[in-house]
Amino acid sequence: MADRRRRQGRPVIAIGKRSAAALAVSGTIGLAAFTWPLFVAPSSDIAHGGDAPWTFALLLPLVLAVVLAELSEKGMDSKAIAMLGVLSALGAAIRPLGAGTAGIETIFFLMVLGGRVFGPGFGFVLGNTTLFASALLTGGVGPWLPYQMLGAAWVALGAGLLPQWRGRAEIALLATYGVVSSLVYGFLLNLSFWPFAVGEGTSVSFDPNASAGANLVKLAAFTLATSLGWDLGRAVTTAVLVAVTGPVLLRTLRRASRKAAFLPSR
């Protein structure tokens, strides 16, 4: 059974029903946390700065629920958790090498490769734990952290859902995905703080009376004026690191997964 799954290119850690439900719930709450400015009623008096701690409080139990669901369904055993710890610690250790320098981001490629090999469920947890561990290491804990964690979780999860190509096509696919996901990640993070980042009355200010489409145009202009250079730096760094390290790391991670026999017996 395990050999057949590997030949078919399926993730080495499967997502069970309870894991899928936990991912769906956390994804729904996370999407609402990012996109509420586009749909909030003009009469609402929501303070976004006070919203982030609540999101953080909701996010961590949901991540734990994913882990517990995986454990209860034997989808993530102790060896898989050990691998999660190793990859999270490695990501936290290498992030300071590039963070804050012209948009260079040295952490995303590892989450893309980890999610690719171990599957979307593992990738979701990996994105959260990696960003959380790196924030503790660098002192980057703040109201922005839950959004960074959730965005990174989606990046790693998406890598686990990509078509099962191999060889050069796989590296090209992952590098392209790294570019696209890095840009989307930056756009979502802008959306999380943009409503209160600039004052009222400018061409890029959030307008609660405007339509969602009009505010998206304003957000795009804000991104172009402020963070696009950093987002492009993240995208290029991720693509280059995937292209350079991908062939070796993919083989190494897949060999480790085979030797550890992560696939559950069902």
Side-chain angles (χ1 to χ4, degrees):
M1 180 65 175
D3 291 339
R4 184 168 68 254
R5 283 190 177 184
R6 294 191 186 101
R7 287 195 299 269
Q8 293 174 348
R10 297 180 183 178
V12 297
I13 297 176
I15 298 180
K17 292 181 179 180
R18 282 171 289 187
S19 302
L23 286 171
V25 171
S26 61
T28 300
I29 293 176
L31 189 62
F34 275 112
T35 62
W36 71 262
L38 301 177
F39 307 104
V40 66
S43 60
S44 177
D45 187 25
I46 300 176
H48 194 59
D51 176 67
W54 289 104
T55 305
F56 203 1
L58 286 170
L59 180 61
L60 291 181
L62 288 170
V63 173
L64 180 60
V66 173
V67 177
L68 292 176
E70 293 280 1
L71 283 169
S72 64
E73 294 184 335
K74 300 182 180 180
M76 184 179 287
D77 59 13
S78 59
K79 291 172 288 187
I81 294 176
M83 178 61 71
L84 176 68
V86 169
L87 292 178
S88 298
L90 180 59
I94 65 176
R95 190 183 188 193
L97 299 178
T101 306
I104 297 174
E105 182 60 81
T106 54
I107 195 173
F108 273 66
F109 84 100
L110 190 60
M111 292 186 294
V112 169
L113 297 177
R116 172 65 170 179
V117 172
F118 297 108
F122 184 95
F124 182 86
V125 181
L126 175 64
N128 278 289
T129 55
T130 301
L131 265 292
F132 184 69
S134 67
L136 292 179
L137 184 64
T138 60
V141 178
W144 55 85
L145 180 58
Y147 298 97
Q148 292 178 337
M149 290 170 61
L150 189 57
W154 285 345
V155 169
L157 182 150
L161 297 175
L162 293 173
Q164 295 297 323
W165 298 352
R166 289 293 185 267
R168 293 182 180 179
E170 180 181 32
I171 299 300
L173 175 67
L174 294 177
T176 302
Y177 174 78
V179 171
V180 174
S181 60
S182 294
L183 295 176
V184 172
Y185 173 85
F187 190 79
L188 286 175
L189 286 188
N190 282 347
L191 180 57
S192 72
F193 71 85
W194 159 68
F196 56 91
V198 295
E200 299 180 357
T202 73
S203 60
V204 297
S205 295
F206 169 67
D207 183 0
N209 296 301
S211 65
N215 273 319
L216 277 175
V217 172
K218 290 175 176 287
L219 175 60
F222 173 79
T223 299
L224 183 64
T226 59
S227 69
L228 184 59
W230 295 86
D231 296 337
L232 288 174
R234 181 190 305 111
V236 171
T237 303
T238 302
V240 169
L241 289 175
V242 166
V244 172
T245 68
V248 174
L249 285 182
L250 287 173
R251 287 197 302 269
T252 301
L253 292 176
R254 283 170 176 150
R255 186 180 303 116
S257 71
R258 289 193 298 269
K259 289 184 176 181
F262 287 149
L263 274 173
S265 56
R266 296 177 184 262

